[in-house]
Amino acid sequence: MTGGERDRAVAGRRLLPWTGADGRPCYLVGDGTGYVSRLADEIEDVQIDMADHLLGHAAGLLRERGVTGAELHYLALRLSESLRDVTRVAESRGARLAHRARP
């Protein structure tokens, strides 16, 4: 998270678990109780669950001896996407925790 992104998150804006069409981060301003906040919570939970399942799949695939380069490439792409998603979730939740901890 860059300094500017962190400043916006701390100022009461929530980093959402998706990006805009141009790949830039999306933010929500609000008290955290509205429809979009609940939708973001649900999507974050799905992203974390998907990452957990992908890690299990990766462990099983990597135990196999006959894995092809194409399979490993595909796995690396999915792991990269998943890591990007859960990193965004962690940044969003961390910024909200830091914002709430301030008096």
Side-chain angles (χ1 to χ4, degrees), residues 2-93:
T2 66
E5 290 170 339
R6 188 175 298 108
D7 292 343
R8 285 191 296 273
V10 171
R13 294 183 183 162
R14 176 183 179 169
L15 176 63
L16 294 171
W18 56 80
T19 60
D22 58 359
R24 295 182 61 168
C26 293
Y27 293 90
L28 173 66
V29 177
D31 63 2
T33 62
Y35 172 76
V36 176
S37 290
R38 290 190 306 272
L39 178 63
D41 290 341
E42 291 174 14
I43 290 173
E44 286 178 352
D45 289 342
V46 167
Q47 289 173 327
I48 292 168
D49 287 344
M50 288 174 59
D52 187 48
H53 285 93
L54 183 58
L55 284 173
H57 176 70
L61 187 66
L62 293 172
R63 279 192 297 268
E64 296 180 18
R65 295 230 180 252
V67 178
T68 67
E71 289 171 316
L72 289 174
H73 181 76
Y74 184 78
L75 176 62
L77 289 173
R78 300 296 76 84
L79 287 169
S80 177
E81 290 171 356
S82 183
L83 182 58
R84 185 174 39 254
D85 288 344
V86 296
T87 298
R88 187 181 304 115
V89 170
E91 288 176 2
S92 176
R93 292 182 180 185

